[in-house]
Amino acid sequence: MEADALAVPGAGNSGRPAGAPLGNEPLGDLGLAGDHAAIWSYDFEAETLSWLPGLENLLGGGALTEAEIESRLADLVAPLTAGTRTSPPWREFELEQSFRNPAGEIRWVRLRARTIGDDNGSSGLLGIATDVTDVRENRQALEDLTDRYRLLVELSPDAVCVHEAGVVTYVNRAALTALGASSTAELIGRPIMDFVADESLPALLDRIASLHRQGASTVPADTVMLRLDGTKYLVQSISVRTTWEGRPAFQVIMRDISAQKAAEATLRYQAALISHVSDAIIATNGSGVVTSWNPAAENVYGWTAGEAIGGTVSELVGAALDPETVLRRGGVMRTTHRHRNGSTLAIRISAAEMNDGFVLVCADETARRRAEQHYSTVVASLDEGVVVIGPGGLIESANPAACRIIGVDHDDLIGVPCVTLELYDEQGRIPPARMPSVVTRRTGATLTGLVLRLRRPAGDDVWISLTSRLLTPEDPSVQAVVASFTDITERRAIGERLAHEATHDPLTELANRTLVLDSLAEALSGAGRAELTTLLFIDLDKFKVINDSLGHSVGDKVLRIAGERLRRGIGENDLVGRLGGDEFVVVTAEITEPDEIKALAEHLREALTEPITVNGRQLHIDASIGIVTAANDDTRTAEDLLRDADVAMYQAKTLGRARYEFFDVELRERMQRRLRMEQDLREALQNEELWTAYQPVVDIESGEMVAVEALLRWKHPAHGTISPAEFIPLAEESDLINLIGKYVLRTTTREIARRREQLGIDLNLKVNLSARQLDDPHLVAGVQDALKTTGLPPHALTLEVTESALMRDQAAAAEVLTSLRDLGVSLAIDDFGTGYSSLAQLQRLPLDTLKIDRTFVIGIAESRDAAAIVKSIIAMAHAVDLIVVAEGVEDEEQLAVLRELHCDQAQGFHLGRPAPPDELFGAAG
């Protein structure tokens, strides 16, 4: 087991002491837990585990060997180490695993881990293992308690049902039996009123209507119920305002009191006949001494009849009990008694007077009271706000969540007219007549999922999702409304932010490509389409130099400033967007005249060319702009216009940058030809359509051919011979130039090596290198491989580089040229005089040859100035030991002047045209 640089130092063979400092390890908020936690790590590359001391105690004690610890830890973290390798750094994971410790006990451990690494990806996991056995046991105990509560309701002898919006949603077993049903399917989904007799219905509705807040309950009342077969029976019912799956509902607890009523009617005469009643029935004399104690009383209070009879009723029930007080309060009251063992009992007492005392019916409501408390607690703990609005429009009840969301204390909210709440829809404030609760109260309609803005008294706003429905849909005349709502402010803000991010550039906050295309498509469609839609495609000039030389942070600031200047330079209804990189677009339908469009393009260019100051530096950029217009009868799509504007921008770049160009069909055709030509050029290498011509380079004094320059030619199967001036720039702008360069180098070195051997001549080969090839990291190795493979001596190869390529990045060019010079090859600067270099600059480069551009040679015989310039170039080049080659020699007069100026070598049509190798060397032979 080894610990790498990412792992926490561990025990065992890690090579570092147990308990070593963690350094800067990103433990962060993974959390620590004292003796019941231990730190571990895993290295993805080495596939090794490490841990800090303490893990052995968590896994079973100090007797475990290091191998046993590692094996157990590997088994526990296997799901994490196998499934997180591809996750980005700083992602967190968690799982719980069980294992058997050496003592045979089942233990549980929670594993929390975080991937660690850098921008290249994750290199490992850093985690904490925590013993959670006690937590899981507590959780199981809570689940067992919940299950016991569920069983208590399910197995209650009292019928219990829940109805929501007047429809039955739950019944327990006792309710099935009471209503004469064989399965819940016969009851669930049916209106609750189907089971209430007509004579009991008005009173029941009145009681339910009185429940204005969650947890409120009705007083016990007698109700005539209907079984499925139509028979009636009497129950004592209590309705409790509650919720079902988060929605307002009512729980009804019904006790069949048909037998109880009959018993109460006969209790004054024959107390012994009600000994089988389920409620505790106790008879006392006028002094409170128990004279009868039925079996149910034994069950409720824990005293046997033999122990109870003769005792004082107050002592037996564990509380003061005065039957006359119960009678004065209507004959029924709720109180608290105590079991023989001291436990608390919730009792409903019914009292009746006998000739010689009283009969007390004590119903144990402990289970039901606990259930009611449970539902009340649930309602109070809901995150969803719930308010009940009475028929008069006043708020009658509200749960804590409603008070929190509205921003008002409970006492200040009750009794307030609901129309005083400031609610706004997407279009503005909602008039009082259109308030959701008002609409529901008047029409009875349920309004669901209304998204509204609520103005709090403090002045801030929250967004809510609101549902409004009648409190008693089965009786719309009541007109009480329950409104439930959820705070969606954060969710809405996230949604708006995601929508903005999906359509806007994160750097400049301008519209991104998606929004630009959508807006352009909208502008091009519909009956209200503008007379002319104009798209300007803007590409920043010189930005790459800023980005490469000063860094991306400076480049990003320049892009933001450029985007802001474009934004300020357009009309209120125009759109500016960033497509990526340094490419921007402007869409406008406000201008229709060509002169106005040109003026806009110039205005935007002028705004961009203003100096930009970043980090104390004054920077300058310009722009190439492509312009495309679409009349209202133009059938092009948004993608088409963007493509055509891009083509026009490219044309502006080609023509010298810092300008604008309008798109036309001919321009598109030229670009399409260019694209086709690039594709054909890719295939030309495979189809052997490229070949090399050789132009002689002659020693001016001796007139002998001392070298040949390799010049690439392309014979297209359809278009014939393609000029190098057309296809070489194509290759340089793509990745083809390096492939073509390797091909030319390989074929020409092989050809010249073969000719040197066959003809016995000391001939030098000159091969051109492009600026892109100098950036190729494999260039030096490719040259070395070509020389080694073909057998051409290094001194016989001269690599020519243009002046502009050398001046682009002198330091990088010098490094590459030095590596090439170390191979033994010669180096030449081509087209000298067309760039901005000086001989002093060139002296710092490892060059052997200087080639004077043909533009200086053309007028050398007629112009004394041209001759003077060439003479000075030759003199300065000789001063630094450079061989001078004159290009473009077309006649004998030019050659004579060059000879007088002591130029070393020359090439041109006068001395030999480029030709295939067989033709050239055959003529030479």
Side-chain angles (χ1 to χ4, degrees):
M1 175 185 65
E2 297 182 358
D4 69 320
L6 294 175
V8 176
N13 300 323
S14 63
R16 289 181 283 181
L22 298 177
N24 294 322
E25 297 294 346
L27 292 174
D29 52 347
L30 286 178
L32 295 173
D35 295 336
H36 297 286
I39 302 172
W40 59 273
S41 68
Y42 183 76
D43 187 315
F44 286 153
E45 182 177 357
E47 298 186 351
T48 56
L49 281 168
S50 301
W51 61 89
L52 281 181
L55 183 65
E56 63 276 12
N57 295 330
L58 189 146
L59 295 181
L64 292 175
T65 66
E66 182 179 271
E68 290 174 332
I69 295 174
E70 182 171 14
S71 174
R72 291 185 178 218
L73 179 59
D75 290 341
L76 291 173
V77 303
L80 292 176
T81 58
T84 58
R85 292 178 177 270
T86 59
S87 298
W90 319 124
R91 287 287 303 275
E92 292 188 12
F93 303 89
E94 180 177 328
L95 80 158
E96 291 185 4
Q97 296 275 61
S98 65
F99 67 96
R100 189 178 297 276
N101 65 13
E105 302 170 322
I106 298 297
R107 306 294 293 178
W108 286 85
V109 62
R110 177 181 296 128
L111 300 163
R112 297 189 65 195
R114 174 179 292 168
T115 52
I116 55 176
D118 53 25
D119 291 342
N120 295 323
S122 298
S123 60
L125 286 173
L126 180 62
I128 292 179
T130 308
D131 188 334
V132 295
T133 305
D134 294 340
V135 174
R136 289 187 65 93
E137 290 176 353
N138 292 339
R139 187 189 308 157
Q140 184 61 48
L142 182 59
E143 291 174 355
D144 292 344
L145 180 61
T146 302
D147 191 57
R148 286 197 298 274
Y149 168 77
R150 181 186 59 79
L151 290 175
L152 179 64
V153 174
E154 184 65 22
L155 301 178
S156 171
D158 291 337
V160 179
C161 75
V162 177
H163 60 91
E164 174 197 352
V167 177
V168 176
T169 59
Y170 168 80
V171 291
N172 69 349
R173 298 180 185 178
L176 285 177
T177 303
L179 293 172
S182 58
S183 68
T184 57
E186 296 178 270
L187 303 178
I188 301 299
R190 292 188 57 175
I192 186 66
M193 297 310 170
D194 286 357
F195 308 105
V196 181
D198 292 341
E199 60 267 29
S200 294
L201 192 55
L204 175 64
L205 293 177
D206 288 341
R207 290 195 299 275
I208 292 179
S210 68
L211 303 180
H212 301 306
R213 59 181 179 79
Q214 297 298 327
S217 62
T218 63
V219 297
D222 294 348
T223 304
V224 179
M225 303 295 293
L226 293 174
R227 295 187 176 91
L228 289 178
D229 60 6
T231 59
K232 299 180 180 181
Y233 68 103
L234 183 66
V235 301
Q236 188 173 66
S237 66
I238 297 177
S239 295
V240 182
R241 179 67 183 275
T242 183
T243 60
W244 181 262
E245 298 180 347
R247 298 181 296 275
F250 297 93
Q251 176 176 300
V252 183
I253 303 171
M254 299 170 290
R255 173 166 294 178
D256 188 344
I257 60 172
S258 300
Q260 178 181 321
K261 286 295 183 180
E264 288 175 353
T266 60
L267 187 59
R268 299 179 182 91
Y269 310 101
Q270 297 178 342
L273 298 179
I274 50 87
S275 61
H276 63 283
V277 176
S278 59
D279 290 336
I281 299 178
I282 307 169
T284 69
N285 61 21
S287 301
V289 176
V290 174
T291 59
S292 176
W293 187 269
N294 75 338
E298 294 181 337
N299 294 331
V300 171
Y301 295 103
W303 301 97
T304 66
E307 294 171 323
I309 294 174
T312 304
V313 68
S314 296
E315 294 178 351
L316 294 170
V317 301
L321 177 54
D322 180 10
E324 292 183 349
T325 301
V326 178
L327 290 173
R328 285 196 301 269
R329 295 184 178 181
V332 178
M333 66 176 290
R334 285 187 173 83
T335 187
T336 301
H337 291 175
R338 290 193 178 276
H339 190 274
R340 181 177 187 174
N341 60 16
S343 61
T344 300
L345 302 172
I347 301 296
R348 176 176 52 82
I349 303 174
S350 298
E353 191 174 4
M354 294 192 308
N355 292 333
D356 56 350
F358 303 91
V359 173
L360 304 173
V361 179
C362 301
D364 185 0
E365 296 181 338
T366 306
R368 194 192 72 189
R369 295 275 187 88
R370 288 174 181 169
E372 292 172 355
Q373 182 61 39
H374 169 78
Y375 280 109
S376 298
T377 302
V378 169
V379 172
S381 63
L382 288 176
D383 288 332
E384 182 180 25
V386 180
V387 298
V388 175
I389 302 166
L394 302 181
I395 297 176
E396 297 180 348
S397 67
N399 71 343
C403 299
R404 184 185 70 251
I405 295 172
I406 297 174
V408 177
D409 291 338
H410 182 271
D411 293 342
D412 295 333
L413 189 60
I414 303 303
V416 173
C418 67
V419 294
T420 61
L421 298 178
E422 292 189 55
L423 292 177
Y424 300 80
D425 57 16
E426 299 287 357
Q427 288 71 42
R429 186 170 183 183
I430 301 175
R434 289 177 43 234
M435 289 283 286
S437 62
V438 175
V439 174
T440 297
R441 188 165 57 251
R442 290 179 179 176
T443 66
T446 297
L447 306 178
T448 304
L450 299 178
V451 176
L452 302 171
R453 179 164 56 90
L454 170 67
R455 176 66 53 82
R456 288 171 165 170
D460 58 325
D461 292 340
V462 293
W463 284 92
I464 61 174
S465 176
L466 180 142
T467 296
S468 173
R469 58 170 57 86
L470 289 176
L471 183 63
T472 56
E474 66 278 3
D475 186 8
S477 62
V478 175
Q479 293 189 334
V481 175
V482 59
S484 58
F485 46 91
T486 305
D487 185 347
I488 61 170
T489 306
E490 182 177 358
R491 186 177 72 194
R492 183 180 174 92
I494 292 173
E496 291 175 349
R497 184 169 67 252
L498 291 176
H500 179 83
E501 291 175 353
T503 56
H504 288 76
D505 170 51
L507 178 64
T508 63
E509 291 298 315
L510 298 175
N512 63 9
R513 177 182 289 270
T514 299
L515 183 55
V516 167
L517 288 174
D518 289 346
S519 302
L520 191 56
E522 183 178 354
L524 295 174
S525 62
R529 177 171 175 174
E531 179 181 345
L532 189 72
T533 301
T534 302
L535 175 65
L536 293 85
F537 196 113
I538 303 167
D539 186 272
L540 302 184
D541 298 332
K542 304 177 185 177
F543 175 74
K544 188 176 187 304
V545 176
I546 294 174
N547 211 37
D548 292 346
S549 60
L550 301 181
H552 291 287
S553 61
V554 174
D556 288 347
K557 293 178 181 178
V558 171
L559 290 174
R560 282 193 289 268
I561 293 173
E564 182 58 31
R565 290 182 178 181
L566 291 174
R567 196 201 317 263
R568 294 198 304 265
I570 63 174
E572 181 179 352
N573 298 322
D574 298 336
L575 175 70
V576 59
R578 177 176 175 238
L579 302 181
D582 58 352
E583 294 179 341
F584 297 83
V585 293
V586 169
V587 181
T588 178
E590 300 295 316
I591 55 178
T592 58
E593 297 299 326
D595 289 342
E596 294 177 337
I597 298 174
K598 294 177 183 178
L600 175 61
E602 285 294 350
H603 173 66
L604 295 178
R605 270 201 60 239
E606 290 174 2
L608 292 172
T609 55
E610 289 291 325
I612 297 175
T613 301
V614 178
N615 298 343
R617 289 176 174 269
Q618 195 172 72
L619 307 175
H620 297 271
I621 59 173
D622 209 319
S624 299
I625 304 176
I627 306 172
V628 62
T629 60
N632 53 17
D633 59 349
D634 198 313
T635 59
R636 285 176 292 178
T637 66
E639 289 280 5
D640 295 336
L641 290 185
L642 193 62
R643 175 204 63 201
D644 292 344
D646 190 7
V647 169
M649 183 279 296
Y650 186 83
Q651 178 71 0
K653 288 276 190 187
T654 304
L655 295 178
R657 305 177 187 272
R659 56 187 294 146
Y660 61 83
E661 288 292 325
F662 281 84
F663 171 81
D664 58 38
V665 176
E666 181 182 350
L667 179 59
R668 182 199 296 163
E669 292 174 349
R670 289 200 304 271
M671 291 304 300
Q672 290 174 345
R673 169 183 164 83
R674 184 181 184 89
L675 290 174
R676 289 195 301 269
M677 197 64 69
E678 180 180 335
Q679 182 58 37
D680 291 346
L681 183 58
R682 292 182 182 276
E683 298 174 357
L685 273 173
Q686 303 173 359
N687 299 337
E688 298 183 353
E689 297 169 13
L690 299 177
W691 61 280
T692 305
Y694 297 89
Q695 184 175 31
V697 178
V698 176
D699 182 274
I700 294 180
E701 287 298 325
S702 65
E704 295 182 357
M705 182 175 67
V706 294
V708 289
E709 180 177 1
L711 300 172
L712 189 63
R713 296 293 184 261
W714 180 17
K715 187 173 182 180
H716 193 283
H719 303 294
T721 300
I722 305 297
S723 169
E726 182 176 2
F727 75 81
I728 292 298
L730 278 178
E732 289 182 338
E733 291 174 8
S734 64
D735 59 347
L736 292 173
I737 191 63
N738 290 330
L739 296 175
I740 293 175
K742 292 178 182 178
Y743 167 79
V744 172
L745 187 64
R746 188 171 58 251
T747 56
T748 56
T749 52
R750 182 184 298 111
E751 180 68 35
I752 298 307
R754 185 170 67 86
R755 297 292 179 173
R756 283 169 57 94
E757 183 177 357
Q758 287 179 347
L759 302 177
I761 56 176
D762 186 11
L763 188 67
N764 189 273
L765 170 65
K766 297 179 182 292
V767 178
N768 292 290
L769 294 180
S770 74
R772 289 285 298 274
Q773 286 179 274
L774 288 179
D775 296 333
D776 184 3
H778 305 294
L779 173 63
V780 177
V783 172
Q784 185 177 24
D785 181 67
L787 294 172
K788 181 179 179 181
T789 303
T790 62
L792 183 70
H795 71 269
L797 176 62
T798 299
L799 300 176
E800 299 184 353
V801 186
T802 62
E803 182 182 8
S804 58
L806 291 176
M807 293 303 103
R808 186 185 58 169
D809 187 343
Q810 293 187 49
E815 183 178 352
V816 175
L817 294 181
T818 300
S819 299
L820 290 171
R821 186 73 174 278
D822 291 342
L823 297 179
V825 303
S826 300
L827 302 173
I829 181 170
D830 198 6
D831 300 334
F832 183 77
T834 60
Y836 302 96
S837 63
S838 65
L839 285 176
Q841 291 172 309
L842 298 179
Q843 189 178 11
R844 292 192 290 269
L845 298 172
L847 300 173
D848 302 286
T849 302
L850 182 149
K851 298 186 74 172
I852 302 175
D853 188 71
R854 66 179 65 251
T855 56
F856 296 100
V857 176
I858 290 175
I860 194 172
E862 295 82 16
S863 171
R864 295 178 59 186
D865 291 340
I869 292 173
V870 172
K871 180 178 180 180
S872 64
I873 293 175
I874 293 173
M876 287 187 294
H878 284 168
V880 292
D881 297 326
L882 295 179
I883 298 172
V884 181
V885 181
E887 295 184 291
V889 178
E890 306 293 340
D891 53 43
E892 185 61 35
E893 289 79 9
Q894 295 172 350
L895 184 61
V897 174
L898 290 170
R899 186 179 293 109
E900 291 177 2
L901 297 178
H902 303 292
C903 183
D904 301 306
Q905 298 173 1
Q907 67 183 99
F909 285 176
H910 177 65
L911 301 172
R913 291 178 177 272
D918 290 341
E919 180 180 330
L920 176 65
F921 293 110

